[in-house]
């Protein structure tokens, strides 16, 4: 079994002229794929580095240009996403575990594949190296890649915010913290199905939460309610305090556990004041 440690660079919407708008179906568009392939001893056996021609956001966001040192002229003549992904999937091969720093890249890869209609067959096994590092260091908050490199005293010989360089740094971290535990390997498709089931189950409970006045603590009857994605909003009026109350309940995911978090506020003129 091999490991493919990958990193992505993205372009996103920027209003270059009046009337420009973002595409809600694709917030971040892949413009670079960098990856290293390791054997079962975590020894490098190959690397992959490819710039991708943008289709939705054809001009590069100025922030992205500054951060990555990639400009529009570099990506325009490159391969479009579906050709780049065909090359990447062929290079990955079979019997591999896909690895990245955190879940942003795997989610971004999934979103781009879905948008462009590319059926990716390599999402079934995945390792979140950031999560392993956090457990290794006992960290409660997600650290940046660079802070982990500094903490582990890894030599900083490559620029950050380049997909291949960031993948190389992630490999250095991986070698220091991975214990070859099978528990670290996630069945990505299975986890996503389970997460979707948990979210749908909790969505059914959102509207069952009650409103209480944050001023006096009394129960407040709901007179208006609506849902939006993973959030539920309800409004009521506290007869004792003579104040409108807004209730917000939302589904959160913390360390893989989905829960409902609720908050009641005094709500005056469209703004929460408590």
């Amino acid at each position: 079994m091999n490991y493919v440690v990958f990193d992505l660079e993205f372009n996103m919407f920027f209003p270059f002229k009046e009337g420009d708008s973002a595409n809600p179906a694709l917030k971040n568009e892949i413009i670079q794929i960098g990856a290293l392939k390791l054997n079962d001893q975590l020894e490098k056996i190959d690397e992959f580095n490819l710039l991708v021609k943008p289709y939705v956001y054809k001009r590069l966001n100025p922030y992205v240009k500054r951060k990555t040192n990639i400009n529009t002229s570099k990506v325009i003549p490159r391969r479009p996403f579906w050709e780049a992904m065909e090359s990447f999937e062929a290079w990955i091969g079979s019997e591999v575990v896909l690895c990245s720093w955190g879940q942003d890249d795997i989610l971004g890869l999934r979103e781009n594949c879905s948008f462009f209609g590319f059926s990716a067959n390599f999402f079934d096994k995945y390792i979140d190296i950031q999560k392993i590092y956090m457990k290794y260091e006992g960290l409660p908050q997600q650290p940046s890649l660079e802070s982990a490199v500094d903490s582990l005293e890894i030599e900083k010989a490559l620029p950050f915010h380049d997909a291949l360089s960031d993948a190389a740094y992630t490999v250095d971290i991986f070698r220091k913290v991975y214990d070859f535990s099978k528990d670290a390997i996630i069945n990505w498709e299975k986890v996503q199905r389970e997460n979707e089931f948990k979210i749908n189950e909790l969505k059914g409970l959102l509207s069952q939460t009650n409103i209480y006045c944050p001023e006096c603590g009394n129960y407040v009857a709901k007179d208006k309610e609506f849902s939006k994605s993973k959030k539920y909003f309800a409004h009521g009026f506290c007869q004792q305090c003579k104040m409108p109350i807004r209730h917000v309940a939302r589904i959160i995911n913390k360390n893989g556990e989905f829960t409902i978090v609720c908050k009641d506020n005094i709500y005056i003129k469209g703004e929460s004041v408590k």
Side-chain angles (χ1 to χ4, degrees), residues 70-87:
I70 299 173
N71 57 48
T72 304
S73 64
K74 287 183 179 180
V75 294
I76 286 300
R78 302 294 176 167
R79 298 184 193 181
F81 176 81
W82 43 89
E83 290 185 13
M85 285 306 300
E86 286 177 352
S87 296

Side-chain angles (χ1 to χ4, degrees), residues 187-201:
N187 183 320
W188 182 257
E189 295 290 352
K190 180 174 180 288
V191 168
Q192 296 312 301
R193 288 195 300 271
E194 289 174 349
N195 287 349
E196 185 176 351
F197 176 80
K198 292 174 186 175
I199 289 170
N200 288 335
E201 189 176 39

Side-chain angles (χ1 to χ4, degrees), residues 151-195:
S151 177
L152 294 172
E153 299 181 344
I154 294 169
E155 182 183 0
K156 294 161 69 173
L158 300 170
F160 285 90
H161 306 300
D162 169 84
L164 185 59
S165 296
D166 286 354
Y169 282 125
T170 305
V171 166
D172 289 338
I173 296 169
F174 192 37
R175 287 170 175 155
K176 286 180 176 289
V177 303
Y178 189 46
D179 63 2
F180 295 91
S181 168
K182 291 185 178 180
D183 292 339
I185 301 176
I186 300 167
N187 183 320
W188 182 257
E189 295 290 352
K190 180 174 180 288
V191 168
Q192 296 312 301
R193 288 195 300 271
E194 289 174 349
N195 287 349

Side-chain angles (χ1 to χ4, degrees), residues 25-93:
L26 187 68
K27 296 179 180 178
N28 298 299
E29 185 171 13
I30 295 171
I31 56 171
Q32 187 188 13
I33 305 170
L36 280 77
K37 186 182 293 184
L38 313 175
N39 62 19
D40 57 4
Q41 300 300 310
L42 304 189
E43 298 167 331
K44 177 183 171 182
I45 55 178
D46 204 358
E47 68 178 47
F48 183 95
N49 188 20
L50 191 65
L51 291 174
V52 182
K53 180 179 181 178
Y55 175 81
V56 177
Y57 307 119
K58 296 181 180 180
R59 292 180 63 185
L60 262 65
N61 185 306
Y63 170 75
V64 172
K65 289 172 65 175
R66 289 194 303 271
K67 187 179 77 166
T68 66
N69 201 31
I70 299 173
N71 57 48
T72 304
S73 64
K74 287 183 179 180
V75 294
I76 286 300
R78 302 294 176 167
R79 298 184 193 181
F81 176 81
W82 43 89
E83 290 185 13
M85 285 306 300
E86 286 177 352
S87 296
F88 187 43
E89 186 174 23
W91 175 83
I92 286 174

Side-chain angles (χ1 to χ4, degrees), residues 101 130 132-156 160 169 172-174 176-177:
W101 181 256
Q130 184 189 59
I132 295 173
Y133 171 74
M134 290 173 64
K135 183 177 180 181
Y136 178 85
E137 295 283 12
L139 300 176
Q141 301 293 330
Q142 293 180 336
S144 68
L145 178 64
E146 188 169 3
S147 68
V149 167
D150 289 336
S151 177
L152 294 172
E153 299 181 344
I154 294 169
E155 182 183 0
K156 294 161 69 173
F160 285 90
Y169 282 125
D172 289 338
I173 296 169
F174 192 37
K176 286 180 176 289
V177 303

